[in-house]
Amino acid sequence: MEHIYSYHHLTEFTREVFIRMGCSLEHAMLASEVLVAADLRGIDSHGVARLSGYVRLWEAKRINARPDIRIVHETPSTAVVDGDAGLGLVVAPFAMEVAIRKAAIAGTGWVSVKNSNHFGIAGYHAMKALDHDMIGMAMTNASPLVAPTFAKERMLGTNPIAVAIPAREQPPFVADFATTTAANGKLEILQRKNLEAPYGWIQDKDGNPSTNPHELKDGGALLPLGGDRDHGSHKGYCLGAIVDIFSAVLSGANYGPWAPPFVSFLPLAPDPVGEGLGHFFGAMRVDAFRPADEFKSHMDTWINRFRAAVPVEGKEVLIPGDPEREMHRDRLQNGIPVLAPVVKDMQEVAAKFKLNF
């Protein structure tokens, strides 16, 4: 069962929750915008469904509502940002703006982040570069839930990668994907709907394929993109490892099995190797390579030609970002569906802070 809420209602409510947590008005407004952007784009696993998790992390004193987000090391084109245990929803936009400013001067800007938390959808941050005629990149490491190929132990997060590329007349190319076959949030949605998971998403504690969406609770693991070695899981493992190294080893955040879990009831790993979660952002000025209008015109050509590719029967060839754009238009106009268990969570959050939902 789903309930429909307007974008305005969800952003207003989440903003008030962040304010009650102690965030400044500026940070609360930004955090609510980033969070609900996921719901608008149809990525329900990373939107308001995560709100109660942020509250619990704050209650466990693992989120600092008033962080001093700052650059701790930099060169003309690179920087390391310390998020001071703040909401990733506000740390990440700060870091992306640093990357954009450096790209404006140096042609490219690269920023690695430590001491942060879950930052919402990667695509939101990568897309910030588009208004500047820049290509944007965003990635983050995450709770260790993923077993490397041939392993039973959980070592990596879902570790998403997002790349946003501007075009001229056509909408931008926006790829935003986990380096696992499916993100953990999709398992949570299946759990709420009492549905099984497809083969290739998860394995049990002994490394056997499973369709039980609750498998992680029993010691199982998510699988890298590809599912198994025969279908290329080693490539998904490599992608996830690259994200972990760029986001955390490079910045001084916790990496691999030391990455802090999103859920507050799980303890932090002993003997941490860094600080908090890590992110990595990039911005590349298009005209550092060729004239921006010329490039964007050719991106239009690229997009148009790929859209015109002969489809298989009953299907349509899409460009990365198409489904999310369509969902954004529909949900902005007709409202955002929220599953009943998520509504219940949000009602409990509302009661905790004496708010109406």
Side-chain angles (χ1 to χ4, degrees):
M1 183 177 175
E2 294 177 336
H3 301 262
I4 306 297
Y5 296 93
S6 70
Y7 170 75
H8 174 75
H9 179 82
L10 291 180
T11 51
E12 188 176 63
F13 175 73
T14 54
R15 182 193 68 212
E16 290 304 311
V17 169
F18 288 129
I19 288 173
R20 297 297 173 95
M21 286 169 56
C23 296
S24 67
L25 176 60
E26 178 186 7
H27 280 187
M29 291 175 65
L30 177 58
S32 62
E33 177 186 321
V34 177
L35 189 67
V36 184
D39 296 292
L40 268 185
R41 292 178 68 78
I43 309 173
D44 299 334
S45 57
H46 285 55
V48 295
R50 292 282 182 188
L51 183 62
S52 61
Y54 289 115
V55 173
R56 288 190 289 269
L57 286 174
W58 169 73
E59 290 175 327
K61 302 188 185 308
R62 284 176 47 195
I63 284 180
N64 177 8
R66 293 272 178 171
D68 176 22
I69 307 168
R70 64 198 186 280
I71 296 171
V72 293
H73 177 75
E74 64 181 322
T75 72
S77 62
T78 67
V80 175
V81 166
D82 186 328
D84 195 25
L87 284 164
L89 302 169
V90 297
V91 175
F94 175 95
M96 189 65 200
E97 287 298 328
V98 173
I100 289 169
R101 289 200 306 269
K102 288 186 174 292
I105 297 169
T108 65
W110 306 97
V111 178
S112 201
V113 178
K114 65 177 180 177
N115 204 5
S116 186
N117 284 283
H118 189 275
F119 75 1
I121 55 171
Y124 175 94
H125 309 298
M127 290 170 66
K128 299 299 285 185
L130 295 173
D131 290 339
H132 304 272
D133 277 351
M134 295 182 187
I135 295 170
M137 297 176 59
M139 56 188 78
T140 182
N141 73 343
S143 309
L145 299 172
V146 183
T149 301
F150 300 140
K152 292 190 287 187
E153 188 177 0
R154 303 195 298 209
M155 298 290 288
L156 291 169
T158 54
N159 294 10
I161 299 171
V163 179
I165 304 174
R168 190 172 184 177
E169 302 296 332
Q170 290 294 322
F173 173 109
V174 182
D176 183 0
F177 57 95
T179 54
T180 49
T181 305
N184 182 45
K186 292 190 176 181
L187 283 185
E188 293 171 349
I189 291 172
L190 292 178
Q191 292 165 15
R192 296 180 189 117
K193 293 182 175 182
N194 293 314
L195 298 174
E196 288 192 336
Y199 275 109
W201 282 27
I202 46 178
Q203 66 182 27
D204 65 19
K205 63 182 179 181
D206 296 316
N208 301 308
S210 174
T211 61
N212 177 8
H214 298 275
E215 202 69 73
L216 297 185
K217 300 172 186 175
D218 297 323
L222 290 171
L223 292 170
L225 186 61
D228 58 36
R229 179 62 173 79
D230 290 339
H231 294 91
S233 68
H234 58 293
K235 299 176 184 179
Y237 167 33
C238 287
L239 286 171
I242 289 167
V243 172
D244 198 40
I245 294 166
F246 278 27
S247 299
V249 180
L250 200 57
S251 68
N254 289 294
Y255 46 82
W258 291 279
F262 181 77
V263 291
S264 60
F265 59 82
L266 288 178
L268 296 173
D271 303 319
V273 291
E275 298 177 84
L277 279 185
H279 319 310
F280 186 78
F281 304 95
M284 297 185 287
R285 216 174 66 213
V286 168
D287 68 3
F289 298 88
R290 68 188 298 189
D293 282 345
E294 182 180 288
F295 170 83
K296 292 193 292 184
S297 178
H298 278 278
M299 275 304 300
D300 283 353
T301 301
W302 190 97
I303 290 169
N304 285 326
R305 181 62 187 90
F306 273 72
R307 284 196 200 283
V310 179
V312 298
E313 186 175 353
K315 299 294 183 180
E316 177 186 3
V317 179
L318 300 175
I319 301 302
D322 282 350
E324 293 86 355
R325 274 187 293 274
E326 182 57 37
M327 191 69 75
H328 184 281
R329 282 192 292 268
D330 177 73
R331 291 186 168 187
L332 201 56
Q333 179 178 345
N334 300 314
I336 297 169
V338 182
L339 292 171
V342 177
V343 173
K344 183 175 181 293
D345 281 350
M346 295 181 73
Q347 289 170 338
E348 290 174 357
V349 169
K352 184 188 300 285
F353 291 114
K354 295 181 170 55
L355 295 169
N356 294 318
F357 179 68

